[in-house]
Amino acid sequence: MSRLWDKGDPLDQRVLSFTAGEDHVLDNRLVPYDVRASAAHANMLADRGLISGEIRDQIVAGLETLAADHADGRWTVSLEEEDVHTALEQRLTQRWPEAGPHLHLGRSRNDQVLAAMRLYLKDVCRSLCDLAHRVADELEALGDRENTTPLPGYTHLQPAMPSSVPLWAGGFASEIRDDAEGLLAVIRRVDKNPLGSAAGYGVPILPLDREHTRKSLGFAQTHSPVTAVQLSRGKAEAQIVFEIHLLMTDLGRLSSDLILFCSQEFSYVALPTSMTTGSSIMPQKRNPDVFELIRGRSATSLACLNEILAVTAKLTSGYHRDLQLIKAPLFRAIDLAEEILEVLAGALPQIHFVPENIKMEQSLYATEEAYRLVVEEGLAFREAYRRVGKKLRDDP
């Protein structure tokens, strides 16, 4: 088969495998987005008189058919096709030979992939935000179910002050909602229409209408000047993975607490058997593997972030094939976040605390007692602090 860049010379299979890499697999998630962007581009070309209305209609109808067939599993992007762009254009041309060859007029795979990727990332940001809010909802519901359950508050892992399950769960819920807002903030960076920038320097002669495709695809603005488009690559990707990493860090800390609280020494929390695993040698064991793996996954999100940042560091302006390497860590981080949020949303409703195992030592109330001496006896705080401390030492 020929590729979008083919000039008739054979390609070494080793070169194809190396340069295409994982793109033919990864790009399957971009098919519906590339179809949307390609249809918008075809409509713009027809409105500008660069292709006929009949050709435009064939392109749009053909793309919709290909998208439906892909969604039904009738085809996937192959290694020979390299990426979603070649796959769609080649398949369109095979079925509708009069229309397919017109599709690439006025664009490059560089602005084409960015249009599809940005549409995809807008959806991902909203989807991850919704999932994060679901987890926060479940945490708040846990706090409501356990609204009378006390907990020691810890500093340096030492009992410090009185707390409660609602306070504990509410703190995590608040931060996870903050992470959700951070994910939505990424949309500002991806909400720019790259179509019309082509390979990074615009399109000569053709009277393209970038505002036309901006409006039809729902982008907030057109990315200008055209030279800024390729310079922007990696920034939105790094930003969303950074926000994912912050979310993974919060979910890891939540998991660490649950692992500690369900240990035999604490026994504050009972985990559902459906969310724990057993030991191959010790009959009595139930293990919080799920939460341990969630705790460890912030290492993966950090690695994905570092990989993206490292790829773009020190590149000169314009397009470079290295930029293709951003896609794998980006998708890996997104898939990781989706999976973990789904697991936690299912696990949290099954968790309950065991109040009879939770000891609220009198020393937890030392700060409150010091404040009471200030309020009731008019002592300076430092004197009240010393008096309560001495009492605890003398009468532990």
Side-chain angles (χ1 to χ4, degrees):
M1 64 162 293
S2 62
R3 298 169 189 87
L4 299 187
W5 51 266
D6 248 337
K7 298 172 179 63
D9 299 321
L11 181 65
D12 189 305
Q13 188 66 26
R14 292 167 296 185
V15 172
L16 172 62
S17 296
F18 183 70
T19 55
E22 302 174 82
D23 264 18
H24 66 289
V25 177
L26 299 173
D27 275 14
N28 281 293
R29 74 180 69 195
L30 295 180
V31 168
Y33 300 97
D34 199 64
V35 163
R36 279 178 57 193
S38 295
H41 181 71
N43 282 321
M44 182 273 294
L45 292 176
D47 281 4
R48 300 297 288 172
L50 294 169
I51 60 174
S52 69
E54 182 181 359
I55 291 294
R56 182 265 316 278
D57 292 344
Q58 287 184 34
I59 288 174
V60 173
L63 287 169
E64 290 173 352
T65 299
L66 288 171
D69 287 349
H70 182 270
D72 289 341
R74 295 192 180 98
W75 66 274
T76 58
V77 182
S78 69
L79 175 61
E80 287 297 321
E81 291 168 325
E82 287 191 303
D83 53 39
V84 61
H85 321 301
T86 297
L88 282 171
E89 185 172 325
Q90 289 288 344
R91 290 170 187 273
L92 185 68
T93 300
Q94 287 166 8
R95 295 198 200 181
W96 297 273
E98 295 299 317
H102 293 274
L103 180 59
H104 207 63
L105 177 66
R107 67 178 182 173
S108 161
R109 284 191 299 177
N110 295 334
D111 62 341
Q112 190 176 353
V113 69
L114 275 177
M117 183 67 78
R118 289 176 179 182
L119 292 171
Y120 165 71
L121 289 178
K122 285 173 68 175
D123 278 357
V124 163
C125 289
R126 296 186 180 105
S127 174
L128 288 178
C129 176
D130 289 344
L131 282 171
H133 281 300
R134 272 183 57 197
V135 171
D137 288 344
E138 294 299 345
L139 280 164
E140 288 170 351
L142 173 59
D144 289 341
R145 292 194 304 274
E146 304 275 355
N147 64 347
T148 61
T149 305
L151 273 180
Y154 294 88
T155 64
H156 306 275
L157 262 185
Q158 304 299 311
M161 292 182 70
S163 184
S164 65
V165 173
L167 269 177
W168 172 82
F172 278 110
S174 177
E175 286 308 295
I176 289 167
R177 293 197 193 283
D178 182 68
D179 296 332
E181 294 304 307
L183 287 162
L184 286 183
V186 178
I187 292 177
R188 179 199 66 80
R189 187 159 258 140
V190 296
D191 212 8
K192 299 177 182 179
N193 180 27
L195 289 177
S197 64
Y201 301 95
V203 176
I205 300 176
L206 301 180
L208 299 185
D209 185 351
R210 300 186 70 198
E211 186 66 9
H212 187 292
T213 50
R214 182 197 71 77
K215 289 180 179 177
S216 61
L217 292 172
F219 285 115
Q221 58 184 289
T222 294
H223 204 158
S224 297
V226 290
T227 47
V229 176
Q230 294 305 314
L231 286 170
S232 75
R233 295 188 70 167
K235 292 168 71 176
E237 295 89 338
Q239 186 180 358
I240 189 172
V241 176
F242 173 73
E243 296 296 345
I244 285 172
H245 179 60
L246 293 181
L247 173 61
M248 290 300 99
T249 300
D250 283 332
L251 299 182
R253 296 183 74 180
L254 170 64
S255 296
S256 289
D257 274 6
L258 289 172
I259 292 164
L260 183 70
F261 291 167
C262 79
S263 66
Q264 187 171 348
E265 289 74 14
F266 277 71
S267 298
Y268 288 179
V269 164
L271 298 179
T273 55
S274 62
M275 290 290 174
T276 57
T277 61
S279 166
S280 63
I281 186 173
M282 294 167 285
Q284 83 281 12
K285 289 292 297 300
R286 298 299 300 184
N287 304 316
D289 291 11
V290 166
F291 301 100
E292 290 170 344
L293 291 172
I294 292 172
R295 180 178 61 186
R297 280 306 195 178
S298 61
T300 305
S301 57
L302 179 59
C304 292
L305 176 60
N306 285 335
E307 189 173 348
I308 292 170
L309 291 171
V311 166
T312 55
K314 305 292 193 298
L315 289 180
T316 57
S317 61
Y319 173 75
H320 302 272
R321 190 64 182 261
D322 318 36
L323 293 167
Q324 170 186 321
L325 301 176
I326 291 172
K327 200 179 291 180
L330 170 66
F331 290 175
R332 189 162 62 249
I334 289 168
D335 292 348
L336 172 70
E338 288 179 344
E339 183 179 22
I340 287 176
L341 289 168
E342 289 281 5
V343 167
L344 270 176
L348 288 170
Q350 303 180 62
I351 290 170
H352 68 272
F353 282 74
V354 186
E356 57 268 28
N357 293 339
I358 300 172
K359 296 180 180 179
M360 300 295 288
E361 302 288 352
Q362 191 59 37
S363 60
L364 290 169
Y365 301 91
T367 303
E368 180 180 338
E369 180 60 25
Y371 285 163
R372 183 174 289 109
L373 291 174
V374 170
V375 172
E376 295 179 359
E377 299 185 21
L379 294 182
F381 172 72
R382 193 54 59 202
E383 175 58 29
Y385 173 96
R386 292 191 186 98
R387 187 180 294 184
V388 170
K390 183 176 184 303
K391 181 180 178 182
L392 288 170
R393 289 192 300 273
D394 294 343
D395 186 20

